[in-house]
Amino acid sequence: MRLPANGKYWLKRARIRFDPPAADWPAFTQSAGDDGTVLADLRIEDGRIRAILPAGSAPCCSPGIDVDGGRAAGVGTGGPLTAGDPADLELSCSGGTRLRIKSGSLVDSGNS
């Protein structure tokens, strides 16, 4: 798996813990899980999460990884993700692929 060298990309259709502002919640309710997670598109730029949008909102032809409903969580936190957080993430993708991203860059991958 490769990420764009410029460090600007989307993580598409990731299941995350997220506490959106009340005004944004209706856009996420269709994908809300019983476990408090939502499907979202995360914009990664310059080693940080720059935006969190409802799944399917990222431009279709923009570079990125389709996580296909897999989990994305902050390394060591497990708490909700927020725009502005460092892009230090653990991804559990379909097919058992696990990825670790540090400051927006892929540092480890493997299959579980």
Side-chain angles (χ1 to χ4, degrees):
M1 172 149 326
R2 291 187 177 182
L3 297 175
N6 70 2
K8 297 177 182 181
Y9 59 92
W10 289 90
L11 293 176
K12 300 176 182 182
R13 298 189 316 139
R15 184 152 296 279
I16 65 168
R17 294 188 58 75
F18 176 53
D19 189 15
D24 293 344
W25 184 249
F28 287 93
T29 56
Q30 290 182 1
S31 69
D34 293 337
D35 59 355
T37 62
V38 296
L39 279 177
D41 294 341
L42 286 77
R43 177 65 177 176
I44 308 298
E45 288 185 18
D46 303 321
R48 298 192 97 53
I49 300 170
R50 293 294 175 200
I52 300 175
L53 303 175
S57 298
C60 64
C61 52
S62 293
I65 299 170
D66 187 346
V67 184
D68 195 24
R71 279 239 185 213
V75 173
T77 67
L81 299 178
T82 304
D85 284 352
D88 298 339
L89 303 167
E90 293 180 344
L91 305 176
S92 300
C93 304
S94 62
T97 301
R98 298 180 65 82
L99 304 171
R100 183 173 281 219
I101 295 173
K102 174 83 173 153
S103 296
S105 298
L106 185 63
V107 293
D108 187 28
S109 65
N111 293 321
S112 52

